Amino acid sequence: MIRLYFQQALYHLRENPIITWVSVLGTALAICMIMVLVITFQVRLVDCEPEVNRSRSLYVSAMSVKNKGGSDGDSSNARMSVRTGRECFKSLTTAEAVTLVSLPEKVRVSLPAGNKVTADMVQTDDAFWHIFRFRFLSGKAFTKADSDAGVLCAVLSAAVARRLFGTTDVVGKTVQLNYVEYRISGVVTDVSVLATSAYAQVWIPYTSTDIARLAWWEETVGQMRAVILARSAADFPAIREEAEQLRRKYNDSLRDSEVFYRGQPDEQFANLYRKWSETPDTKAIILRYMLVIAILLLVPAINLSSMTLSRMRRRMAEIGVRKAFGATGGELIRQIFFENLLLTLFAGVLGLALSYAATFLLNGFLFNNSTNAYLSGETALIPGMLLSPWAFLAAFGFCLLMNILSAGIPAWRASRMNITDAINQR
């Protein structure tokens, strides 16, 4: 019986090719637009290599400092110093791991008498390699002993290693970073700039430079940010509470200043939309996204429903004839369901393929911004960033529901009509 329903559905879809293709393309484009929006949203939110722990990470990207007893509005906003990071965040006991990371900076990477490149470098510590998961092509990350001792060692991305040496098998060799010699401890696969917390092309221990001394305002302000890994998301409240206790203890040790975080540590979503002193209104941001998605779904769905309804009205006579030959109302409704399921299924697969094609073709338009323009890396996409089965199923289900309702309601009414009225389309 199901096979017969599908055969009948294919026949009716071929009978009106123009309306069929308009319906297919309309549904496909609606799903495509939704998926492109979801993909641009989730590439910065979902757990994917190397930021595999986004769902259980907290971030402190900036902080504020003011004179003791002053108002929050009369403050300066900047990155934290190494000292602030160590005393306020590295000391957390409720967290699984905490790393301090500098912002990417341009560095000249060269061989003593050979090739040279300009790359994006960050300074961090050994905990960085625990929080983020990189695929090492050769060697390994620098260790806690290396970090504590300030050893001049570096991890390179594959692109930098190949441009300098022509290979990634370079562990133990030496490169010059701004004319300072560093030993290569490992080489990792290239990282997309969309991995905003983990991205770099060269990683070194911050203890190997003088960044700890580059601090001001009672050594509270500097060039670092903190990433905190919780054992589970359920520990976020406890981590925030302990961070607040450490902040107060730290402020007590300061003579004239006090630091505060304006609602941080943030989860990944809030961290993406934080702008210095402005605490992001995450509910308003989510509401805007939901409104855009609703518009992208409803406008094409209403137009497609009108076309489907018009097509069904022209089939009232057919339904009346089938009813006269003994077809039950249930059989008529099932046929309409399978017909629209086939139409929406084909459109959904086409829409999903179009969304991936559009995401790759419009990569620069969708993901480049003023921050990325400064960086040397690529806005590369990996499968883990693109797969969003729940978003696709939601968009597909909505389009299927609209198509079934617009076709099913007239079919249900016709199945309950007097046979003569249905045949005469009254």
Side-chain angles (χ1 to χ4, degrees):
M1 182 63 72
I2 293 178
R3 182 181 177 184
L4 177 62
Y5 286 152
F6 273 108
Q7 289 176 341
Q8 291 173 333
L10 287 172
Y11 171 78
H12 286 296
L13 294 178
R14 288 196 300 266
E15 188 179 24
N16 298 292
I18 295 178
I19 294 178
T20 297
W21 277 107
V22 169
S23 299
V24 167
L25 290 176
T27 303
L29 288 175
I31 292 176
C32 173
M33 289 187 292
I34 294 298
M35 289 302 298
V36 168
L37 182 64
V38 170
I39 289 170
T40 57
F41 191 64
Q42 77 164 9
V43 292
R44 301 179 184 276
L45 291 176
V46 298
D47 293 348
C48 57
E49 192 178 276
E51 296 182 355
V52 296
N53 293 313
R54 285 174 173 174
S55 58
R56 58 187 185 104
S57 293
L58 293 172
Y59 305 85
V60 184
S61 57
M63 49 159 266
S64 299
V65 60
K66 63 181 180 179
N67 293 323
K68 279 194 174 178
S71 66
D72 289 356
D74 188 17
S75 62
S76 293
N77 307 297
R79 309 292 174 187
M80 70 183 70
S81 66
V82 171
R83 176 193 173 192
T84 301
R86 284 173 172 170
E87 295 195 27
C88 295
F89 299 105
K90 293 289 286 184
S91 301
L92 287 167
T93 59
T94 49
E96 180 178 325
V98 179
T99 184
L100 301 181
V101 191
S102 69
L103 289 178
E105 59 182 297
K106 294 296 180 184
V107 64
R108 183 183 187 271
V109 189
S110 59
L111 301 180
N115 298 331
K116 59 181 181 293
V117 298
T118 299
D120 300 323
M121 182 185 77
V122 300
Q123 303 180 42
T124 184
D125 51 36
D126 60 286
F128 180 87
W129 307 104
H130 175 77
I131 295 175
F132 303 110
R133 187 173 303 161
F134 292 79
R135 283 188 292 133
F136 277 82
L137 302 178
S138 61
K140 60 182 181 180
F142 48 81
T143 64
K144 186 177 188 303
D146 295 332
S147 184
D148 291 345
V151 174
L152 300 179
C153 56
V155 174
L156 304 184
S157 70
V160 172
R162 290 192 182 104
R163 289 180 65 183
L164 289 174
F165 298 96
T167 179
T168 59
D169 189 16
V170 295
V171 174
K173 295 184 179 181
T174 300
V175 293
Q176 292 183 341
L177 304 179
N178 287 344
Y179 305 103
V180 178
E181 290 193 351
Y182 277 73
R183 174 182 54 83
I184 301 173
S185 64
V187 177
V188 298
T189 56
D190 295 335
V191 180
S192 171
V193 299
L194 297 175
T196 52
S197 297
Y199 168 77
Q201 295 174 314
V202 178
W203 297 262
I204 64 171
Y206 66 75
T207 50
S208 66
T209 71
D210 60 355
I211 195 171
R213 293 194 295 271
L214 298 177
W216 55 99
W217 203 322
E218 278 196 78
E219 298 184 356
T220 59
V221 177
Q223 301 182 34
M224 309 301 284
R225 52 203 166 112
V227 181
I228 305 164
L229 178 64
R231 292 178 178 83
S232 73
D235 292 337
F236 286 173
I239 291 173
R240 289 189 174 104
E241 182 178 350
E242 186 183 5
E244 178 62 16
Q245 293 172 356
L246 291 173
R247 183 188 72 85
R248 292 173 180 171
K249 180 180 177 181
Y250 181 56
N251 284 339
D252 290 340
S253 70
L254 299 176
R255 186 180 65 254
D256 301 316
S257 310
E258 57 181 300
V259 301
F260 58 105
Y261 311 133
R262 298 187 183 275
Q264 299 176 95
D266 286 329
E267 295 180 40
Q268 173 72 3
F269 181 79
N271 180 58
L272 288 175
Y273 289 93
R274 177 173 290 277
K275 297 179 181 178
W276 292 102
S277 62
E278 298 180 14
T279 302
D281 186 350
T282 54
K283 291 183 179 179
I285 295 170
I286 293 173
L287 185 60
R288 286 199 297 270
Y289 270 100
M290 291 178 62
L291 181 61
V292 171
I293 289 174
I295 292 173
L296 291 177
L297 277 175
L298 284 174
V299 172
I302 291 172
N303 291 332
L304 291 171
S305 296
S306 299
M307 294 182 61
T308 305
L309 181 61
S310 176
R311 184 179 63 190
M312 287 307 304
R313 283 175 175 168
R314 288 198 297 271
R315 293 179 59 186
M316 295 281 279
E318 172 205 334
I319 292 174
V321 170
R322 291 195 60 200
K323 189 175 179 182
F325 280 89
T328 65
E331 290 173 338
L332 294 173
I333 296 298
R334 282 194 293 273
Q335 180 190 343
I336 299 300
F337 171 79
F338 280 107
E339 190 174 312
N340 281 276
L341 176 62
L342 186 65
L343 179 74
T344 310
L345 184 62
F346 178 58
V349 173
L350 179 60
L352 188 62
L354 287 175
S355 69
Y356 289 156
T359 303
F360 278 103
L361 292 175
L362 301 175
N363 184 301
F365 173 76
L366 293 172
F367 302 113
N368 278 341
N369 52 43
S370 58
T371 301
N372 294 347
Y374 168 78
L375 303 174
S376 303
E378 301 292 334
T379 54
L381 299 172
I382 61 175
M385 295 177 174
L386 300 176
L387 298 177
S388 182
W390 293 113
F392 170 71
L393 290 175
F396 174 83
F398 183 83
C399 291
L400 177 63
L401 178 64
M402 293 297 291
N403 285 347
I404 288 176
L405 289 177
S406 57
I409 292 175
W412 176 77
R413 291 179 60 191
S415 68
R416 296 174 62 86
M417 276 185 181
N418 179 278
I419 294 177
T420 303
D421 292 338
I423 291 175
N424 291 311
Q425 300 186 34
R426 290 201 294 265

